[in-house]
Amino acid sequence: MGRIIVITSGKGGVGKTTTSAAIAMGLAKKGHKTVVIDFDVGLRNLDLVMGCERRVVYDLINVINEESSLNQALIKDKRCNQLFILPASQTRDKDALSQEGIEKILNQLKKEFKYIVCDSPAGIERGAQLAMYFADDAFVVTNPEVSSVRDSDRMLGILASKSQRAENDEEPIQEYLLLSRYSPSRVKMGEMLSVEDVQEILSMDLLGVVPESQAVLNASNKGIPVILDEQSDAGQAYADIVARYLGEEREHRFIDEEKKGLFGKLFRSK
């Protein structure tokens, strides 16, 4: 049976969709059949980041309303035959999401896919609640800012109390901390919280740190998950995160300021 991963946060703009695309692609590239679902009904950004927006015919709400089959709505990624995308609707209201409909879809997907990655909207509205409710694992994405960390702490309370696992008195959702848009130089200047500060507040296992990087925006604009940009620090960070999630031991990178020698200082090498 497949495992359901929710990518969540309390605050918008922290990089959930970037993370969902990167994690899903990373898992698929490792040989695991993976599907990534956009739960942000009314906005729909995942298909843009995945570069398949022109191929959307049916969506999540069409499947819930039985206006299409699940197979009709799934889009196979052109770069990796182990990866599929289930887009959100751009024209429907979030109220069109139903718990029964989502449960039916997830149960179907769990029979076919090893990993089901749920790209959750920010906050605690309908789409976010349903994305979290059925989760086995939660990647809590936060920026190193007080407001973002505080909102993430609130999400942890919801994950612990309002999930199907909690209601059924089962093993809790496994929670992982993913720190995005991190800048060691800004931490040093006191403009950002450090990794230690965030961990102290949230008391979570650190899955990885994704540095502030122009590569993320460049990849999104091209419709390419940034993990495919293997030369970029952000792409390498997401590759590390996927590897750690799958049980591989990898040293944490991008936490400390890079020390450059004389050559690096002169030429400002990237």
Side-chain angles (χ1 to χ4, degrees), residues 163-180:
S163 68
Q164 188 179 55
R165 284 176 168 266
E167 288 179 4
N168 294 340
D169 202 24
E170 296 173 354
E171 186 180 334
I173 293 172
Q174 183 69 48
E175 299 162 348
Y176 301 94
L177 174 62
L178 197 155
L179 200 51
S180 62

Side-chain angles (χ1 to χ4, degrees), residues 91-230:
T91 57
R92 307 290 182 95
D93 190 83
K94 291 176 176 62
D95 292 336
L97 289 168
S98 70
Q99 185 166 311
E100 298 75 19
I102 294 297
E103 184 170 23
K104 185 179 177 183
I105 288 170
L106 291 175
N107 284 339
Q108 281 183 261
L109 293 172
K110 283 167 76 173
K111 293 174 185 175
E112 187 179 349
F113 292 88
K114 179 70 180 290
Y115 294 106
I116 299 118
V117 179
C118 301
D119 181 20
S120 169
I124 55 172
E125 48 94 334
R126 184 73 173 154
Q129 288 177 350
L130 287 172
M132 289 187 288
Y133 183 77
F134 296 103
D136 298 307
D137 299 321
F139 289 14
V140 180
V141 185
T142 187
N143 292 157
E145 305 163 357
V146 172
S147 62
S148 181
V149 174
R150 182 191 61 201
D151 288 348
S152 292
D153 201 20
R154 185 183 183 196
M155 302 311 291
L156 291 175
I158 294 169
L159 286 166
S161 61
K162 292 191 175 181
S163 68
Q164 188 179 55
R165 284 176 168 266
E167 288 179 4
N168 294 340
D169 202 24
E170 296 173 354
E171 186 180 334
I173 293 172
Q174 183 69 48
E175 299 162 348
Y176 301 94
L177 174 62
L178 197 155
L179 200 51
S180 62
R181 302 183 69 179
Y182 193 77
S183 170
S185 60
R186 292 184 65 191
V187 171
K188 193 175 180 181
M189 291 187 286
E191 295 176 358
M192 279 185 173
L193 297 174
S194 68
V195 170
E196 292 77 15
D197 292 334
V198 176
Q199 282 188 286
E200 188 177 339
I201 295 166
L202 297 178
S203 300
M204 291 178 69
D205 291 330
L206 179 67
L207 193 58
V209 171
V210 180
E212 184 80 72
S213 175
Q214 182 64 34
V216 172
L217 182 59
N218 293 344
S220 294
N221 287 340
K222 293 175 184 175
I224 300 170
V226 71
I227 197 169
L228 295 178
D229 183 359
E230 296 174 1

Side-chain angles (χ1 to χ4, degrees), residues 234-260:
Q236 292 170 30
Y238 277 116
D240 286 350
I241 287 164
V242 170
R244 287 191 201 101
Y245 173 71
L246 293 174
E248 192 177 320
E249 290 285 336
R250 288 208 183 180
E251 188 177 346
H252 285 283
R253 299 191 280 170
F254 314 111
I255 292 175
D256 300 315
E257 199 168 7
E258 188 181 342
K259 291 182 174 66
K260 293 181 177 174

